[in-house]
């Protein structure tokens, strides 16, 4: 769904109304990024086309080359001697600066390569240490009881903090070593280039060298910018990976025996036959529209795509989860949450997208988050997503991890049904 929005650069006003303010801001930011990316592509394509045209024009004029001299106000040929005109630096100073800059750039390039290798070693070292520590905790101390689980979690967080602190110290030490090596290497390259320049001072290739130096400087600046962005993104993703890895470990340890696909199909056929019979019997080929346009289409989508993925069911049972609701409106959801405490939530089938809406009771009102289920995973729309294999996984994850850093939303208490039959009954008929 997010890829489609970025591709079309358009979001339906009804769908936009379903997003909360933070989701809107993040979505607009991503759309702006996509605009800039397309603009840069067009500029690069235009530059390449212009270069091809210039090259073609030079070839056409190759048989009629001529030189036209630039003339001054006095009508004579205009002449400029570098270093002798008013305000010019001496030629020797310009040459010195060019050599120093070239040496610095080469040293910086070598230092970046050294730091990349050093950073990879540090990352691998602490990733292996983290994995070993997790394995030791799981093997020795973690128990099924809640108290032991909390104690193990605190111990793991403490160890993670210590490892991250040690990793940061080692990174700083490595950066300082690389910086010192870069300074030494810059001096060495400067002397080497200086000697080479003295031997070829009267070379006819000075103009070509300056042009190469200019292009090299621009390319180095671009690489440096990309490297900074990559490092920032790497640190951000590393932190999220540590968080997701810890949750995945807890899930595997305390879920009990998980079901593989064959076992799950067998369980559905044997234990939930009344609920799944309609999707099992259906012989029509399901071609999902680009977006929901009627209640009947949503019901068919849920039966044929979501029930086989156990959407709305409790983990490892055939009972409908207490927080699950059918195709109800935002207003109905808020009425259900009206007199409930902060942290109460429900999940309802969305009428706007192929997915769900999570309605959340906060102290000052309500929040609604869209959950995209159009692909092979479940994730919040418009927010930098954690991807989950099942809808239950997403809910369980945010019982311990906040949804947004600004709101601090934790799913504390599910909001159940107040109608009989329940509002989801049409989905399982």
């Amino acid at each position: 769904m997010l890829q489609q929005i970025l591709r079309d650069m358009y979001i339906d006003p009804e769908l936009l109304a379903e997003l909360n303010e933070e989701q809107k801001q993040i979505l607009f930011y991503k759309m702006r990024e996509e605009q800039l990316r397309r603009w840069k592509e067009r500029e690069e394509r235009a530059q390449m086309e212009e270069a091809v045209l210039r090259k073609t024009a030079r070839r056409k004029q190759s048989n009629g080359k001529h030189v036209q001299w630039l003339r001054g106000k006095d009508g004579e040929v205009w002449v400029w001697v570098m270093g002798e005109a008013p305000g010019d630096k001496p030629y020797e100073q310009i040459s010195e600066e060019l050599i120093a800059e070239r040496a610095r750039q080469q040293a910086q390039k070598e230092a970046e390569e050294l730091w990349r290798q050093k950073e990879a070693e540090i990352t691998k070292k602490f990733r292996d240490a983290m994995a070993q520590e997790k394995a030791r905790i799981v093997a020795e101390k973690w128990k099924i009881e809640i108290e032991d689980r909390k104690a193990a979690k605190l111990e793991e967080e403490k160890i993670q903090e210590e490892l991250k602190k040690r990793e940061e110290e080692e990174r700083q030490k490595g950066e300082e070593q690389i910086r010192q090596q870069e300074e030494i290497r810059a001096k060495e390259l400067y002397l080497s280039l200086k000697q080479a320049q003295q031997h070829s001072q009267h070379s006819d290739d000075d103009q070509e060298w300056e042009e190469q130096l200019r292009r090299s400087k621009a390319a180095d600046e671009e690489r440096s910018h990309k490297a900074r962005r990559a490092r920032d993104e790497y640190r951000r993703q590393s932190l999220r990976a540590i968080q997701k890895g810890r949750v995945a470990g807890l899930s595997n340890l305390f879920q009990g025996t998980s079901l593989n696909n064959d076992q799950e199909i067998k369980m559905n056929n044997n234990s939930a036959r009344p609920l799944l019979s309609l999707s099992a019997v259906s012989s029509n080929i399901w071609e999902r529209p680009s977006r929901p346009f009627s209640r009947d289409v949503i019901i068919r989508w849920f039966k044929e795509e979501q029930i086989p993925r156990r959407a709305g069911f409790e983990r490892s049972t055939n009972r409908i989860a207490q927080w699950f609701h059918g195709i109800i409106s935002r207003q109905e959801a808020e009425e259900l949450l009206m007199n409930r405490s902060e942290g109460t939530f429900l999940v309802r089938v969305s009428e706007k997208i192929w997915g769900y809406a999570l309605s959340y009771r906060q102290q000052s009102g309500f929040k609604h988050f869209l959950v995209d289920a159009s692909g092979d995973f479940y994730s919040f729309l418009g927010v930098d997503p954690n991807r989950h294999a099942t809808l239950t996984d997403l809910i369980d994850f945010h019982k311990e991890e906040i949804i947004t850093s600004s709101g601090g939303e934790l799913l504390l208490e599910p909001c159940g049904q107040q109608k009989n039959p329940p509002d989801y009954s049409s989905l399982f008929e």
Side-chain angles (χ1 to χ4, degrees):
M1 179 65 68
L2 180 59
Q3 291 173 352
Q4 179 180 346
I5 292 171
L6 295 179
R7 183 177 64 250
D8 301 337
M9 296 304 290
Y10 171 80
I11 179 170
D12 190 276
E14 293 182 357
L15 177 58
L16 184 64
E18 289 288 329
L19 300 177
N20 61 48
E21 191 61 32
E22 184 167 354
Q23 287 178 304
K24 290 178 182 177
Q25 293 298 327
I26 294 176
L27 182 59
F28 292 156
Y29 174 76
K30 288 182 179 291
M31 294 176 73
R32 180 57 178 166
E33 276 190 333
E34 178 65 14
Q35 287 179 329
L36 290 174
R37 185 190 68 79
R38 293 183 185 182
W39 178 81
K40 289 179 180 178
E41 284 186 352
R42 287 196 298 269
E43 288 294 308
E44 291 174 357
R45 188 162 55 250
Q47 290 177 2
M48 291 177 63
E49 292 174 354
E50 185 179 350
V52 171
L53 290 175
R54 284 201 301 267
K55 188 174 181 180
T56 304
R58 284 199 299 269
R59 287 178 179 175
K60 291 181 179 178
Q61 297 175 0
S62 59
N63 296 329
K65 293 182 178 178
H66 66 280
V67 176
Q68 183 175 359
W69 300 101
L70 179 67
R71 299 182 179 277
K73 294 181 179 179
D74 56 0
E76 298 295 328
V77 175
W78 184 82
V79 179
W80 170 67
V81 180
M82 184 174 65
E84 296 183 5
D88 279 3
K89 296 180 182 179
Y91 175 80
E92 292 77 14
Q93 182 179 351
I94 296 174
S95 178
E96 290 280 343
E97 291 177 353
L98 290 174
I99 292 174
E101 179 64 17
R102 186 179 181 185
R104 184 193 65 77
Q105 292 174 355
Q106 181 64 25
Q108 183 180 10
K109 183 178 179 181
E110 295 178 4
E112 288 177 353
E113 179 62 23
L114 287 173
W115 172 240
R116 186 183 64 79
Q117 298 173 0
K118 183 73 174 178
E119 188 175 36
E121 293 174 0
I122 293 172
T123 301
K124 184 178 184 301
K125 175 181 177 181
F126 284 92
R127 185 173 62 241
D128 293 344
M130 184 78 71
Q132 292 174 1
E133 196 61 33
K134 281 177 174 289
R136 184 186 69 79
I137 292 173
V138 170
E140 295 178 6
K141 292 188 176 181
W142 285 49
K143 304 298 180 183
I144 297 181
E145 290 78 12
I146 298 299
E147 297 300 326
D148 289 345
R149 200 181 301 180
K150 291 181 179 178
K153 182 177 179 181
L154 290 174
E155 182 176 354
E156 182 185 3
E157 290 176 350
K158 180 179 178 182
I159 290 171
Q160 286 180 353
E161 289 298 326
E162 292 177 355
L163 287 174
K164 285 192 285 188
K165 182 178 179 181
R166 286 168 52 194
E167 180 179 3
E168 186 62 29
E169 292 175 353
E170 189 156 342
R171 283 178 183 275
Q172 293 177 358
K173 186 184 299 182
E175 288 177 350
E176 180 63 24
Q177 292 175 352
I178 296 297
R179 188 187 63 78
Q180 294 175 358
Q181 293 180 14
E182 180 181 352
E183 292 178 355
I184 296 173
R185 183 60 176 158
K187 293 178 181 178
E188 294 175 353
L189 289 171
Y190 172 78
L191 294 176
S192 175
L193 292 172
K194 179 65 177 177
Q195 293 174 357
Q197 188 268 347
Q198 290 174 351
H199 288 297
S200 59
Q201 188 170 6
H202 302 289
S203 172
D204 295 334
D205 298 329
D206 285 347
Q207 185 174 359
E208 182 179 355
W209 148 250
E210 290 177 3
E211 178 62 19
Q212 290 178 351
L213 185 63
R214 185 190 65 77
R215 291 197 299 265
S216 176
K217 181 177 180 180
D220 285 343
E221 290 178 352
E222 178 65 17
R223 282 194 295 269
S224 177
H225 177 68
K226 290 181 178 179
R228 284 194 300 271
R229 288 186 60 183
R231 283 197 294 269
D232 293 338
E233 181 67 12
Y234 167 78
R235 292 191 180 100
R236 187 188 69 79
Q237 291 182 356
S238 296
L239 183 58
R240 297 300 294 269
I242 289 174
Q243 295 173 345
K244 290 182 68 176
R246 174 160 58 84
V247 172
L250 287 171
S251 177
N252 291 334
L253 185 63
F254 296 110
Q255 269 183 10
T257 57
S258 61
L259 300 175
N260 59 33
N261 289 337
D262 294 337
Q263 292 172 324
E264 199 165 291
I265 292 171
K266 183 177 180 182
M267 179 196 70
N268 289 339
N269 290 338
N270 294 336
S271 302
R273 189 173 302 277
L275 292 178
L276 308 183
S277 59
L278 217 165
S279 70
V281 171
S282 177
S283 60
N284 296 331
I285 298 176
W286 168 244
E287 295 184 1
R288 188 173 67 198
S290 59
R291 60 169 295 175
F293 59 83
S294 71
R295 191 180 187 90
D296 291 339
V297 170
I298 297 172
I299 293 174
R300 181 174 182 181
W301 165 77
F302 184 83
K303 289 180 177 179
E304 298 194 10
E305 292 192 19
Q306 294 300 293
I307 289 181
R309 297 172 65 182
R310 294 186 53 78
F313 288 90
E314 292 182 351
R315 190 184 304 279
S316 303
T317 73
N318 287 323
R319 292 192 301 269
I320 307 299
Q322 187 178 358
W323 40 261
F324 184 76
H325 289 255
I327 310 173
I328 63 175
S329 66
R330 173 189 289 224
Q331 182 177 354
E332 290 175 300
E334 291 181 355
E335 289 175 357
L336 289 171
L337 296 171
M338 180 65 70
N339 298 320
R340 309 300 288 269
S341 60
E342 183 177 10
T344 305
F345 69 98
L346 61 84
V347 176
R348 52 192 169 91
V349 179
S350 175
E351 297 180 279
K352 307 299 182 184
I353 66 171
W354 298 114
Y356 304 88
L358 188 150
S359 299
Y360 178 85
R361 182 70 163 101
Q362 59 181 2
Q363 187 175 7
S364 58
F366 308 93
K367 276 190 175 182
H368 303 273
F369 300 91
L370 289 179
V371 178
D372 184 9
S374 60
D376 296 330
F377 53 86
Y378 296 82
S379 63
F380 285 116
L381 179 65
V383 181
D384 189 17
N386 282 299
R387 296 182 173 185
H388 303 274
T390 68
L391 184 59
T392 304
D393 287 342
L394 182 144
I395 297 301
D396 289 347
F397 180 82
H398 288 291
K399 288 180 179 178
E400 295 187 1
E401 303 294 334
I402 60 177
I403 298 177
T404 64
S405 56
S406 60
E409 304 90 353
L410 278 178
L411 306 182
L412 302 179
E413 181 183 348
C415 178
Q417 296 287 327
Q418 294 183 5
K419 294 181 179 180
N420 191 15
D423 53 30
Y424 54 68
S425 58
S426 61
L427 300 174
F428 299 98
E429 290 177 348

